[in-house]
Amino acid sequence: MSEEVKVFGAWGSPFSRRVELALRLKGVQYEYIEEDIFNNKSPLLLKYNPVHKKVPVLLHNGKPIAESLVILEYIEETWKSNPILPEDPYDKAMARFWAKFLDDKCLPALWKAGWSPENEREKAVEEACECLKTLEGALNGKRFFGGATVGLVDIAANFIAHWLGIIQEATGHELLSAEKFPHLFKWTDEFVSCSIVKESLPPRDKLLAFFKDRIAGAMDAPTEASK
Amino acid sequence: MEEVKRVKLHGVGANPYSKRVELALRIKGIPYEYIEEDMSNKSQLLLTYNPVYKRIPVLVHNEKPVVESLVILEYIDENWRNTPQLLPDDPLERAKVRFWANFIQQELFEAMTLAVRYDGEVQAKAIDEVDEKMKVLEEGMKEMFPESGSASIQGEKLGLLDVLICSIFNSYKAYEEVLGVKILDPERFPLVFCWVEALKELPLVKELFPPHDQLVALLMVVRENVLKASSST
């Protein structure tokens, strides 16, 4: 039975890349549709995600699912190969907790710290570092948050593995260093070195140019356009 | 003989996050020990169980803590499978439930909380936002439950969305009294209104939630404390 799987995404969005990564990890073929999220969202996107009007949206046999973490759980429940969540309900709860922590607290703090004006920077950096410290603890010496293989939390932390370093380079402000967070730093390497992950990341130079451009103009929060 | 598994819930009185976990445990018939926490004097145990957020609710099962109410609700559902299920089996239906759970929690309830905790312009803006989100919710629920003309959304079976709607809107009249504004207008939001009213009548719900006057008093205290704290220098 042929299945129709489509992903509405944006090339630079960590949230839409999460969905692509999960599909690739499970060997699911999909059609990718690039949305111009800043200037011209397609009527289809607005139809499939009328509540938030954001990417990513997964379309499976004509049915849309929105919100990246909701989509990841859907993908996990629909395509059973290469699971990204543990079987045990308690371990699953822990994974969900960390994924939510990333979205609710960590990513907003990191984003804020990256782009804060001078007078707010110290406090923002402090909060961001607290988050990174918590994650360092959560990793607990494992290779991946998911243990031996990439799991939900690793996928949700993709921003930290790829985007954060590029933002650091663009802004000249360092948050995640090998000295301060050795395990987390090592994790970023392990994560981006996986061939499937590497394939699913936006090109570094393109992202760097994008962020440098945005520094030149006014900077808006990323959640406006994509989540 | 299976050993008795101990379930404890650390919560706070009428706190809606705490109530939703209690409601879920009761729907599923899971016996639990309730421990009231004092947020102005957090117990060492709470801080150990929830070092990241330092807040309730915390569900402790066989000495292992689970935190964040939506994570707890899913854990309860998955761990106790021979009891009424809070989430449907079909992945697409589950995704819809999760989507709306997030919306109700992050968009709607956040706005209601802001309206209680602030004054002046911030409050006015929050109240407008609540209204906007209510419209979205009404439309969304109409689409999700197209046959629902009747009182209860899922008939006899209570699910995750019932738990959330109940924990937030059971006290809607108290919110309306304290804020001086209509939040759940039966004419503008007929589906959600009927749903909430049907839930309120359930014996399970009546047992669990404090009466109207108590809720009003609680909300006023919350509001006073927060406004006092923000105006003191």
Side-chain angles (χ1 to χ4, degrees):
Chain A
M1 187 175 84
S2 77
E3 283 189 303
E4 186 199 58
V5 183
K6 297 188 186 183
V7 175
F8 291 80
W11 71 269
S13 159
F15 305 102
S16 84
R17 293 283 179 166
R18 286 173 177 176
V19 172
E20 291 195 81
L21 177 54
L23 289 169
R24 284 169 188 252
L25 282 169
K26 287 170 174 283
V28 178
Q29 306 279 16
Y30 64 94
E31 182 192 334
Y32 176 77
I33 295 127
E34 172 75 12
E35 286 284 332
D36 177 1
I37 54 177
F38 295 111
N39 299 313
N40 191 19
K41 292 177 184 178
S42 75
L44 272 184
L45 177 65
L46 301 179
K47 171 181 160 191
Y48 290 137
N49 191 1
V51 174
H52 300 296
K53 306 176 174 51
K54 292 177 177 173
V55 294
V57 173
L58 179 78
L59 196 70
H60 184 208
N61 294 331
K63 309 278 191 212
I65 301 115
E67 295 286 278
S68 67
L69 293 184
V70 174
I71 298 172
L72 291 183
E73 295 248 19
Y74 176 81
I75 290 172
E76 174 71 350
E77 287 167 2
T78 304
W79 292 282
K80 307 285 189 183
S81 65
N82 298 333
I84 57 173
L85 274 170
E87 287 262 347
D88 176 71
Y90 188 78
D91 295 336
K92 212 185 268 197
M94 289 299 101
R96 286 180 176 138
F97 171 81
W98 289 116
K100 274 181 116 280
F101 171 75
L102 279 159
D103 271 5
D104 292 347
K105 232 179 154 184
C106 200
L107 265 45
L110 288 171
W111 187 264
K112 202 167 158 208
W115 303 111
S116 297
E118 200 64 55
N119 58 329
E120 291 170 22
R121 182 161 302 130
E122 201 182 316
K123 184 159 186 272
V125 167
E126 203 181 297
E127 274 177 36
C129 285
E130 269 307 303
C131 288
L132 291 176
K133 187 164 157 221
T134 302
L135 283 177
E136 174 92 355
L139 198 50
N140 201 19
K142 291 180 291 191
R143 186 173 170 218
F144 296 111
F145 288 98
T149 53
V150 166
L152 183 89
V153 183
D154 302 276
I155 298 172
N158 65 346
F159 177 88
I160 296 175
H162 187 65
W163 281 257
L164 183 59
I166 297 169
I167 291 173
Q168 288 179 170
E169 192 178 323
T171 59
H173 302 300
E174 188 186 62
L175 285 166
L176 173 59
S177 68
E179 294 76 42
K180 283 197 283 186
F181 309 106
H183 292 128
L184 193 58
F185 192 82
K186 182 156 183 283
W187 168 83
T188 66
D189 242 355
E190 293 271 8
F191 183 72
V192 302
S193 304
C194 301
S195 54
I196 296 186
V197 174
K198 219 186 304 205
E199 278 163 22
S200 79
L201 291 173
R204 200 173 199 283
D205 46 0
K206 196 175 173 191
L207 257 187
L208 186 60
F210 171 82
F211 284 126
K212 283 188 167 161
D213 275 350
R214 297 282 277 187
I215 292 173
M219 194 63 221
D220 296 320
T223 51
E224 278 312 304
S226 74
K227 199 174 198 268
Chain B
M1 195 119 199
E2 209 187 11
E3 75 175 20
V4 171
K5 292 183 177 166
R6 298 282 309 278
V7 178
K8 300 185 196 184
L9 175 63
H10 293 249
V12 164
N15 179 291
Y17 297 96
S18 191
K19 282 294 177 208
R20 64 180 66 153
V21 177
E22 284 202 83
L23 185 54
L25 288 167
R26 289 178 186 216
I27 288 169
K28 290 180 80 77
I30 299 165
Y32 63 97
E33 182 191 334
Y34 177 78
I35 295 133
E36 179 79 8
E37 286 282 344
D38 177 359
M39 287 293 101
S40 61
N41 184 18
K42 296 176 185 178
S43 70
Q44 200 44 56
L45 207 51
L46 178 67
L47 299 176
T48 309
Y49 284 146
N50 192 355
V52 175
Y53 293 108
K54 305 177 175 50
R55 63 190 182 198
I56 56 93
V58 178
L59 184 84
V60 186
H61 182 213
N62 293 336
E63 318 283 307
K64 295 200 284 191
V66 184
V67 306
E68 291 298 275
S69 64
L70 291 179
V71 175
I72 297 173
L73 294 180
E74 291 227 33
Y75 172 75
I76 288 172
D77 207 36
E78 283 166 8
N79 199 67
W80 283 273
R81 298 215 55 88
N82 297 330
T83 51
Q85 291 300 292
L86 298 175
L87 278 134
D89 283 326
D90 175 70
L92 183 64
E93 296 306 310
R94 289 166 78 83
K96 287 181 190 171
V97 168
R98 287 177 177 134
F99 175 88
W100 286 107
N102 287 342
F103 178 83
I104 290 165
Q105 176 52 43
Q106 285 158 12
E107 312 267 331
L108 183 47
F109 193 54
E110 278 299 305
M112 282 171 72
T113 308
L114 275 177
V116 169
R117 292 174 159 256
Y118 286 90
D119 246 346
E121 221 181 284
V122 178
Q123 189 195 46
K125 196 162 168 246
I127 289 172
D128 278 345
E129 215 186 301
V130 170
D131 199 70
E132 279 306 309
K133 305 297 177 187
M134 284 300 301
K135 280 190 218 154
V136 175
L137 181 64
E138 179 78 13
E139 282 314 304
M141 293 299 98
K142 268 193 200 138
E143 220 186 285
M144 198 164 159
F145 303 106
E147 302 96 39
S148 141
S150 66
S152 181
I153 285 293
Q154 291 180 60
E156 294 307 310
K157 242 172 47 90
L158 293 179
L160 191 91
L161 292 183
D162 295 279
V163 171
L164 287 186
I165 290 289
C166 191
S167 73
I168 291 169
F169 287 106
N170 190 73
S171 31
Y172 80 88
K173 288 201 170 118
Y175 278 97
E176 290 182 346
E177 196 173 310
V178 170
L179 297 176
V181 72
K182 208 148 185 54
I183 291 181
L184 190 49
D185 187 340
E187 279 177 37
R188 295 175 65 222
F189 313 118
L191 188 147
V192 178
F193 180 82
C194 288
W195 188 5
V196 170
E197 287 294 318
L199 287 169
K200 283 174 80 172
E201 290 309 305
L202 298 173
L204 194 61
V205 173
K206 280 186 171 161
E207 261 170 34
L208 192 56
F209 288 85
H212 174 75
D213 292 335
Q214 216 185 327
L215 283 168
V216 170
L218 276 164
L219 265 180
M220 297 202 74
V221 168
V222 166
R223 199 166 147 66
E224 257 171 54
N225 288 340
V226 173
L227 291 175
K228 211 187 301 173
S230 65
S231 66
S232 61
T233 43

